[in-house]
Amino acid sequence: MAALVGGAVTAPLEALAARAVAGDGEALSALCRRLEEPVFRLCLRMLGDVRDAEDAAQDVLVKVVTNLSGFEARSSLSTWVHRIAVRHVLSLRPGRAEVRALTEEGFAALLEQGLAFAATQPPASPEDQALLEEVRLGCTQGMLMMLGREERLALVLVELLGFDAAEAAEVLGIGHDALRQRLSRARARLGAFLQARCGLSNEKAACRCDKQVVGKRALGLSAATQRLSPLSEGDATAGVDVDAARAELIHVHAIASAFHCGGRFAAPDSLRARLEALLPTVLRGG
């Protein structure tokens, strides 16, 4: 599964899992390292807060490691792991970002306030420009949190993590029609909002990240308080037909253009340290 593999050619996850179950400590450690990033990325996109995402990813990875012998290869290891992650995330109470999530109307009002404040201030300074990535990532993540969990999960799996429809439906344990309906609702809501508000998706929209950064800095955003941009791995390619004219694909492109230019999120180093502290005997091979 491409969502679990980055960069260099590596051993298949299933092969690592088989070696790990047979007692190969190095294989188990390598498998855990390969899973840290995609599991954390799913948790972050779903929960919206780095601290909550790290807690959830830790719990998911412990479940994966301690239940690895129960993997029966009825699906890919990627699907099995993401199914564990999805079940865990859905079992959680609303976290920090979900509690303070805004509706479309509330988010639009917040953006308007930022634009109005920027109009009364000098243009963004070079120091402000360094905060643009954090503002953009925080804004798009906030938009994602406008969706309910089921719609958000469908969108995250397909549009942001790269699962095809069949894999996503299997991860969620639902039929293809149910997945299609959830995706359609999520694309319509988020795509319409991006087209109306976001200059990354629609050049005619008023909002620009450099205008919002002025207000965010006044509220306390600084190099020291950034949470998302230190984990961003840069640009990721969105497999979207940008020339398609049908309304649904326009919505998909709006989503892709806004979310993918910030790229993927890496797992923080602290997640590995926490896992090694919890499972010292099984992960010391790494």
Side-chain angles (χ1 to χ4, degrees):
M1 168 64 202
L4 290 175
V5 181
V9 176
T10 49
L13 294 174
E14 289 76 9
L16 284 175
R19 287 165 50 194
V21 171
D24 187 332
E26 290 188 0
L28 180 59
S29 183
L31 178 66
C32 193
R33 285 190 181 278
R34 292 268 295 280
L35 295 174
E36 285 170 13
E37 183 175 300
V39 168
F40 175 77
R41 193 181 307 139
L42 172 65
C43 293
L44 180 56
R45 286 303 197 182
M46 283 302 299
L47 301 176
D49 182 271
V50 173
R51 295 160 295 180
D52 289 342
E54 188 172 347
D55 289 343
Q58 171 189 295
D59 293 342
V60 169
L61 290 165
V62 169
K63 287 181 180 180
V64 168
V65 169
T66 55
N67 290 282
L68 194 58
S69 61
F71 173 60
E72 298 178 347
R74 295 178 181 176
S75 60
S76 71
L77 189 76
S78 164
T79 297
W80 183 74
V81 169
H82 279 84
R83 190 181 297 127
I84 291 173
V86 163
R87 288 174 179 169
H88 182 75
V89 166
L90 289 177
S91 74
L92 297 175
R93 294 179 179 178
R96 296 172 178 89
E98 287 183 296
V99 168
R100 60 177 186 263
L102 299 172
T103 62
E104 283 96 330
E105 293 79 10
F107 208 110
L110 183 65
L111 294 176
E112 290 296 333
Q113 290 172 13
L115 293 176
F117 179 79
T120 69
Q121 302 297 312
S125 67
E127 188 175 6
D128 291 331
Q129 296 292 330
L131 304 176
L132 280 174
E133 179 73 353
E134 183 71 16
V135 169
R136 193 201 64 77
L137 290 170
C139 189
T140 51
Q141 185 62 43
M143 293 180 200
L144 195 60
M145 302 307 292
M146 296 186 307
L147 302 174
R149 281 187 172 182
E150 288 188 348
E151 293 175 356
R152 195 184 323 144
L153 262 174
L155 194 76
V156 166
L157 287 172
V158 175
E159 303 296 354
L160 306 185
L161 301 186
F163 283 84
D164 64 32
E167 291 173 315
E170 188 175 0
V171 167
L172 295 174
I174 61 177
H176 184 269
D177 285 345
L179 174 68
R180 181 181 55 78
Q181 291 171 9
R182 292 182 189 181
L183 272 176
S184 180
R185 290 194 300 267
R187 287 168 173 169
R189 289 183 60 191
L190 193 55
F193 189 90
L194 284 161
Q195 280 288 301
R197 299 284 173 180
C198 180
L200 289 171
S201 301
N202 178 7
E203 62 181 14
K204 295 181 180 179
C207 196
R208 296 292 186 277
C209 298
D210 61 340
K211 295 180 180 180
Q212 295 293 344
V213 75
V214 177
K216 296 296 184 182
R217 185 169 180 77
L219 292 173
L221 179 62
S222 68
T225 59
Q226 295 181 95
R227 291 186 176 274
L228 297 174
S229 54
L231 300 176
S232 178
E233 294 190 319
D235 188 51
T237 300
V240 177
D241 180 4
V242 299
D243 296 322
R246 288 188 296 124
E248 183 173 293
L249 287 181
I250 291 174
H251 287 151
V252 173
H253 182 229
I255 295 165
S257 63
F259 281 86
H260 283 277
C261 61
R264 306 175 347 176
F265 286 113
D269 293 339
S270 53
L271 178 57
R272 162 58 51 157
R274 290 170 63 169
L275 289 169
E276 290 179 343
L278 281 171
L279 304 169
T281 60
V282 298
L283 295 184
R284 63 187 178 187

